[in-house]
Amino acid sequence: MSTVIPAEGTALLSSGSVAGWTQRYTGAVMDTFGPPQRVLVRGEGAYVWDADGKRYLDLLGGIAVNALGHAHPTLTAAISAQLGTLGHVSNFFGTPAQIALAETLLRAAEAPDGSRVFLTNSGTEAVEAAFKMTRRVAASSGVGTRTRVLALEGAFHGRSMGALALTAKAAYREPFEPLPGGVEHLPFGDLGALEAAFAPQSVAEHGEVAALVVEPVQGEAGVRPLPPGYLAAARRLTRAHGALLVLDEVQTGIGRCGSWFAYQQPEIGGGIVPDVVTVAKGLGGGFPVGAVIAYGEAAHLLGRGQHGSTFGGNPVAAAAALTTIGVIERDGLLTNVREVGALLRQEVEMCGSPLVREVRGRGLLLAVVLNEPVAPQVATAALEAGFIVNAVAPDAIRLAPPLILTAEQAMDAARFFATLEDL
Ligand SMILES: *Cc1c(COP(=O)(O)O)cnc(C)c1O
């Protein structure tokens, strides 16, 4: 047998062009994402560089992940220190980083006494745990379980089987059916449809509702905020019927929208307290980690032995998350998100390009809505011009830059949009 890896493993990583690396990618990586747009080799702050040495302003942040940008020195040091002290233990044991992260998330969530956290490695796993919690909601008769879960059209909750059952997009779901049952997708933002799902006739026909699972701002659907008042009404209905209100803040949470959690903004949440919140993406600043926050009574839906994860709560991931949250607070990044987000939004809206219709979203989770369905062409033009953006819908460009984005960088982004002519 030939050598699997050279003794000096870094030889595998040594110089190559974007074209050369792309060829190696397609020869070795499963083709679920299509060929990479570029192969990136390093990053610093809000910038990344490809294998040909070209620099890009990263306006996507690894899809709302790189909260502190790239190669943040405080985050790098914390991860390195934890790995050099204690890198992993089983969940038969606890670690200070894991415990402190759970406490910190509860404080950020302003969760009531009795609330608890379950740590995961990704967003889909956080949603998966939340989905399992919904199966533990007792029927009002006290006999049997409730299995009816409401989600919204346009929802994206992840790709594992349970999370996929909550995800709305047919192209993602249909190749993998049958999915876990009981999920109904209601029209987005339609309060009448939500009320109807809880009405006696609907309950008689489909059963009692165990939970409503929603994103405060739908990310993958093109950055669509729920209409004002929706979450407050959803809270009233779920509470009245003994159902859980589960907020999927995997994309919107950890400062992305200008508050720790999007629902905490009165205009979005109207002052509600949810039962369950999922987070991931930005939580570890680029290190894979997610969490489920269970408020109050919901903390006891999963009992001993009913859920688990080998890596969940890993001390390195927990240290990354603690440090990311710590830097966001220390450096006033929630304020930065609100200020630079407002500037970016305003400057792009006023950039004068005939292609730009409006900008929607919250904080630094924005979509530039186009007058024509040419988002893929705009994303390609952006890359050529040195900007990473995402064609999230045919007529929408998603921006989810690092929370450290400066006003100057926001102006650079707006100047790119100003160059767009009709494509
Ligand atoms: C990205 C995302 C997920 C899935 O997270 P992964 O880490 O990709 O598994 C779930 N819910 C929402 C709202 C997301 O944006």
Side-chain angles (χ1 to χ4, degrees), residues 27 70 91 99 109 151 171 182 294 313 323 327 347-348 352 366 420 423:
H70 299 271
N91 276 309
I99 296 160
T323 306
V327 171
E347 292 296 320
V348 173
L366 299 170
L420 291 177
L423 286 176

Side-chain angles (χ1 to χ4, degrees), residues 128-150:
E128 206 67 35
F131 196 170
K132 284 178 75 172
M133 292 168 76
T134 73
R135 291 288 200 250
R136 305 299 304 156
V137 175
S140 60
S141 63
V143 182
T145 55
R146 307 184 187 202
T147 54
R148 188 173 171 215
V149 178
L150 308 177

Side-chain angles (χ1 to χ4, degrees), residues 68-124:
L68 305 184
H70 299 271
H72 193 285
T74 314
L75 181 59
T76 307
I79 290 171
S80 174
Q82 183 62 53
L83 189 58
T85 306
L86 186 66
H88 177 79
V89 301
S90 71
N91 276 309
F92 299 126
F93 300 91
T95 65
Q98 167 206 35
I99 296 160
L101 174 58
E103 291 169 346
T104 301
L105 285 169
L106 291 174
R107 273 199 302 280
E110 301 167 289
D113 286 349
S115 304
R116 296 288 185 271
V117 170
F118 183 89
L119 296 171
T120 72
N121 314 289
S122 67
T124 204

Side-chain angles (χ1 to χ4, degrees), residues 13-407:
L13 303 176
S14 66
S15 67
S17 63
V18 168
W21 279 116
T22 302
Q23 198 176 4
R24 278 173 67 180
Y25 179 106
T26 53
V29 180
M30 198 180 285
D31 190 23
T32 58
F33 300 104
Q37 296 175 15
R38 295 287 191 274
V39 174
L40 304 175
V41 293
R42 75 186 176 91
E44 196 183 317
Y47 296 99
V48 291
W49 283 261
D50 73 16
D52 295 339
K54 183 178 161 89
R55 186 184 86 161
Y56 303 86
L57 179 60
D58 187 0
L59 296 172
L60 185 57
I63 314 186
V65 167
N66 298 98
L68 305 184
H70 299 271
H72 193 285
T74 314
L75 181 59
T76 307
I79 290 171
S80 174
Q82 183 62 53
L83 189 58
T85 306
L86 186 66
H88 177 79
V89 301
S90 71
N91 276 309
F92 299 126
F93 300 91
T95 65
Q98 167 206 35
I99 296 160
L101 174 58
E103 291 169 346
T104 301
L105 285 169
L106 291 174
R107 273 199 302 280
E110 301 167 289
D113 286 349
S115 304
R116 296 288 185 271
V117 170
F118 183 89
L119 296 171
T120 72
N121 314 289
S122 67
T124 204
E125 287 168 78
V127 171
E128 206 67 35
F131 196 170
K132 284 178 75 172
M133 292 168 76
T134 73
R135 291 288 200 250
R136 305 299 304 156
V137 175
S140 60
S141 63
V143 182
T145 55
R146 307 184 187 202
T147 54
R148 188 173 171 215
V149 178
L150 308 177
L152 298 189
E153 286 170 5
F156 182 84
H157 297 293
R159 303 286 204 134
S160 56
M161 295 297 263
L164 191 56
L166 296 164
T167 294
K169 195 169 172 173
Y172 293 169
R173 303 165 52 88
E174 282 170 1
F176 305 100
E177 287 171 347
L179 297 168
V183 179
E184 273 166 57
H185 288 96
L186 306 178
F188 175 80
D190 182 339
L191 260 182
L194 187 62
E195 275 160 10
F198 285 93
Q201 192 191 336
S202 179
V203 171
E205 212 171 306
H206 304 287
E208 288 179 282
V209 175
L212 168 67
V213 183
V214 289
E215 302 155 84
V217 179
Q218 284 192 340
E220 303 302 308
V223 189
R224 290 199 296 178
L226 278 171
Y230 189 92
L231 283 180
R235 176 70 287 183
R236 267 198 313 279
L237 283 163
T238 46
R239 183 153 286 149
H241 292 265
L244 300 176
L245 177 59
V246 179
L247 301 183
D248 184 353
E249 294 236 22
V250 165
Q251 189 154 169
T252 53
I254 314 300
R256 173 61 47 195
C257 294
S259 47
W260 288 120
F261 302 94
Y263 83 85
Q264 290 171 323
Q265 295 179 36
E267 316 86 89
I268 298 178
I272 59 160
V273 178
D275 298 301
V276 181
V277 169
T278 55
V279 286
K281 289 201 166 83
L283 177 59
F287 206 91
V289 57
V292 184
I293 304 165
Y295 294 62
E297 309 248 298
H300 307 290
L301 287 167
L302 294 178
R304 271 186 206 171
Q306 289 185 330
H307 200 47
S309 167
T310 298
F311 290 118
N314 169 284
V316 181
L322 268 177
T323 306
T324 300
I325 295 170
V327 171
I328 290 172
E329 187 151 72
R330 182 194 72 190
D331 294 352
L333 294 182
L334 297 181
T335 306
N336 192 63
V337 167
R338 292 194 293 269
E339 291 177 358
V340 176
L343 178 74
L344 179 59
R345 175 185 201 124
Q346 173 193 315
E347 292 296 320
V348 173
E349 251 170 3
M350 298 186 350
C351 76
S353 164
L355 260 185
V356 173
R357 184 194 305 172
E358 57 160 341
V359 179
R360 67 177 174 230
R362 305 291 298 197
L364 282 174
L365 181 60
L366 299 170
V368 181
V369 184
L370 307 173
N371 283 314
E372 318 246 353
V374 291
Q377 292 94 311
V378 169
T380 303
L383 214 49
E384 290 299 319
F387 298 91
I388 294 178
V389 300
N390 166 238
V392 69
D395 70 342
I397 294 287
R398 173 171 44 182
L399 306 178
L403 311 186
I404 56 164
L405 195 80
T406 65

